[in-house]
Amino acid sequence: MLPVQPTLDAVGTPLSQVTFVVVDLETTGGSARTDAITEIGAVKVRGGEVLGELQTLVDPGCHVPALITRLTGISDQMLRGAPSIAEVLPTFLEFCGDAVLVAHNARFDIGFLKAAAARHQVPWPGPAVLDTVALARRALHRDEVRNHRLGTLAPYLGSRVEPDHRALTDARATVDVLHALLARLGPLGITHMEDLATATDPVPEKRRRRRHLADGLPDAPGVYQFRDARGEVLYVGTATSIRTRVRSYFTAAERRRRMTEMVMLASEVVPVVCGTVLEARVRELRLIAEHAPRYNRRSRHPDRRPWLRLTGEPFPRLVVSRAAPDATGAAWIGPFGGTAAARLAADALHTTFPLRQCSRRIGRRPRPGGSACALAGLGRCGAPCVGEQDIDSYAQVARAAAHAMTTDPTPVIVAHAERLAALAAAERYEEAATYRDQVEAFCRAAARTQRSARLAGQAELVAARRAPS
């Protein structure tokens, strides 16, 4: 059989024929949501030749912080009379045309440009974007450079331009960095535009080759099952779009090591289309319970998840338990994702209510000769163990805690808000973070319990919709 000469479309577009626009911005800060652009610099290149340059200062409509002025040299006075981003953006997009946008740390620069376009209702054309940071990570060994900043890469790769935190200068330096990196990647087979899509993709080739498992899957909500060659269910998941979710397992978005292992064992993906996301989640739990897939960890044993309960003893106490709620407890909240979260919620209640924290059972009458713990001396426990608090008095505390768990969490929230304000005023931020985590864990669990209480109280639940006539 004679070899077939591939067409140009099959091979792709050589990098020497691709038009790149290398862009760099200066801004008033690091957030595209709250900060603004002060300068745009762009260089259009193709085949190593500079086709044009664009540079303009931009009035950000706000004050330039002193730190930014020291870094870039751009001050409020320099920007007086400069055009606004609403005026500059259409000109910049016209300059770019259908070129590939290139930036060093593209997430920052392109993020600011997209945010500005959205703010001023300028249509964003959605060009292809190339990040020279990602390219450098692929082209350079770890022991070659100490980091991938532009100021480090430019001299190492022989740039003729020294970056100086001004937009056009840094764009020119990035052009030299881009060309040097492409020259390094050429011997690795990255010679066409289409090759760049995988040049910055850390996904192993073996995993990428298994993308065919997502072919033909429905773009609909439902459950998906990864199965091996013997038909064993390896993993069960749910998604609003089965096709989109399964495809993500073969991209850089999936970083979990066990999922990579699972994908390499899988030979097919079986979809189960559902009418709603709720139905999909119910089916997922049932399939996990039926097959016990070895790669499902979080939902594999839902019956073992921890709960926080207030016991039904004469002097109730908080207990973290993996047993399902029953009538023996005065109140309960959960389930929690883990024991640590349950303990944080318990700490939130102990901070608010002087419940006893000892683990031994206390009868209606205290044991003679006992001694109170340190919490009693701190006023955080009424010391029922030594008879300093009777059943009726302690019951009031227990009822208040149970009410906060099952009905109204306001006392817990107020107690923690006051403590957080005091700690923040004293600049004791690490301690304040502990109390923040406590009240957050408690509120999440209490809200979850209250939402599901009515459903949990039903012996059987049937959901249906009218069939079309």
Side-chain angles (χ1 to χ4, degrees):
M1 181 181 291
L2 293 175
V4 178
Q5 175 66 38
T7 65
L8 183 61
D9 290 339
V11 174
T13 307
L15 290 174
S16 59
Q17 297 179 17
V18 177
T19 301
F20 297 100
V21 169
V22 182
V23 62
D24 186 84
L25 307 179
E26 300 304 328
T27 66
T28 60
S31 171
R33 185 172 58 86
T34 58
D35 296 308
I37 298 170
T38 58
E39 186 178 31
I40 297 179
V43 181
K44 184 181 290 187
V45 294
R46 183 175 61 237
E49 179 184 353
V50 175
L51 304 179
E53 293 185 339
L54 180 148
Q55 187 276 333
T56 179
L57 292 169
V58 181
D59 182 359
C62 60
H63 171 65
V64 179
L67 178 63
I68 299 297
T69 299
R70 285 198 296 271
L71 181 68
T72 65
I74 299 174
S75 63
D76 291 331
Q77 185 176 2
M78 286 177 60
L79 298 175
R80 206 167 289 142
S84 67
I85 189 63
E87 300 172 85
V88 170
L89 202 52
T91 303
F92 169 75
L93 293 176
E94 183 180 355
F95 175 79
C96 293
D98 58 358
V100 176
L101 282 185
V102 182
H104 198 72
N105 188 15
R107 190 179 205 173
F108 177 87
D109 298 276
I110 306 304
F112 264 90
L113 289 169
K114 290 174 70 174
R119 243 184 331 259
H120 297 282
Q121 299 181 339
V122 176
W124 181 255
V129 176
L130 182 62
D131 190 343
T132 48
V133 172
L135 214 57
R137 288 178 179 147
R138 173 69 189 272
L140 302 174
H141 294 294
R142 293 183 180 180
D143 56 352
E144 287 190 79
V145 289
R146 65 181 182 275
N147 57 54
H148 296 100
R149 295 174 182 169
L150 184 61
T152 302
L153 294 178
Y156 180 79
L157 295 173
S159 172
R160 298 161 295 179
V161 182
E162 181 180 352
D164 61 359
H165 295 292
R166 289 300 300 269
L168 184 58
T169 305
D170 287 5
R172 288 169 175 167
T174 304
V175 168
D176 289 342
V177 168
L178 171 67
H179 289 154
L181 293 174
L182 293 179
R184 281 189 166 228
L185 292 171
L188 301 180
I190 299 171
T191 57
H192 291 71
M193 180 60 200
E194 290 69 20
D195 299 328
L196 291 176
T198 58
T200 58
D201 184 0
V203 179
E205 180 62 26
K206 288 183 179 179
R207 177 149 62 101
R208 195 183 300 114
R209 276 200 233 112
R210 304 185 72 80
R211 287 180 293 186
H212 68 276
L213 294 178
D215 293 346
L217 292 177
D219 183 16
V223 178
Y224 55 91
Q225 305 170 58
F226 280 89
R227 297 186 177 186
D228 65 11
R230 298 175 300 171
E232 178 189 349
V233 178
L234 302 172
Y235 183 79
V236 176
T238 182
T240 54
S241 169
I242 296 175
R243 180 170 58 200
T244 301
R245 181 68 186 96
V246 173
R247 281 178 174 174
S248 71
Y249 286 90
F250 310 100
T251 69
E254 181 53 72
R255 299 178 180 274
R256 294 171 292 177
R257 183 177 299 177
R258 64 189 180 88
M259 289 295 100
T260 299
E261 180 182 312
M262 182 275 296
V263 166
M264 298 308 299
L265 294 174
S267 62
E268 65 172 338
V269 178
V270 178
V272 180
V273 175
C274 301
T276 65
V277 175
L278 175 61
E279 180 190 348
R281 289 175 178 171
V282 172
R283 283 182 176 270
E284 177 192 31
L285 291 175
R286 289 178 175 175
L287 286 168
I288 291 173
E290 178 184 352
H291 297 286
R294 48 180 149 149
Y295 289 96
N296 281 92
R297 291 183 179 176
R298 296 184 62 182
S299 304
R300 191 172 178 180
H301 301 289
D303 54 319
R304 299 184 188 176
R305 297 179 70 179
W307 299 78
L308 178 64
R309 67 176 68 210
L310 190 63
T311 63
E313 303 170 75
F315 294 95
R317 58 196 170 92
L318 292 170
V319 174
V320 176
S321 170
R322 294 187 183 274
D326 53 36
T328 61
W332 49 266
I333 56 173
F336 292 85
T339 304
R343 287 176 178 160
L344 281 172
D347 290 341
L349 288 164
H350 285 140
T351 297
T352 310
F353 304 102
L355 293 165
R356 69 183 184 94
Q357 299 184 38
C358 51
S359 59
R360 65 186 179 90
R361 289 185 64 87
I362 301 177
R364 292 182 176 274
R365 294 183 179 179
R367 295 179 182 178
S371 59
C373 64
L375 291 174
L378 295 172
R380 295 176 59 186
C381 177
C385 57
V386 294
E388 294 186 16
Q389 188 174 28
D390 59 25
I391 286 182
D392 293 338
S393 172
Y394 189 87
Q396 294 179 13
V397 177
R399 279 195 298 269
H403 186 73
M405 294 171 71
T406 60
T407 308
D408 184 7
T410 300
V412 179
I413 295 172
V414 169
H416 281 73
E418 292 173 352
R419 185 157 296 200
L420 285 171
L423 291 171
E427 298 185 357
R428 294 160 61 183
Y429 300 117
E430 291 185 5
E431 191 175 348
T434 300
Y435 287 97
R436 177 205 63 201
D437 295 342
Q438 288 178 11
V439 71
E440 183 177 341
F442 171 79
C443 287
R444 283 179 183 272
R448 185 184 303 117
T449 303
Q450 291 177 27
R451 284 197 306 267
S452 60
R454 293 181 63 186
L455 290 176
Q458 304 300 317
E460 183 177 359
L461 181 68
V462 177
R465 65 180 177 182
R466 187 184 301 274
S469 56

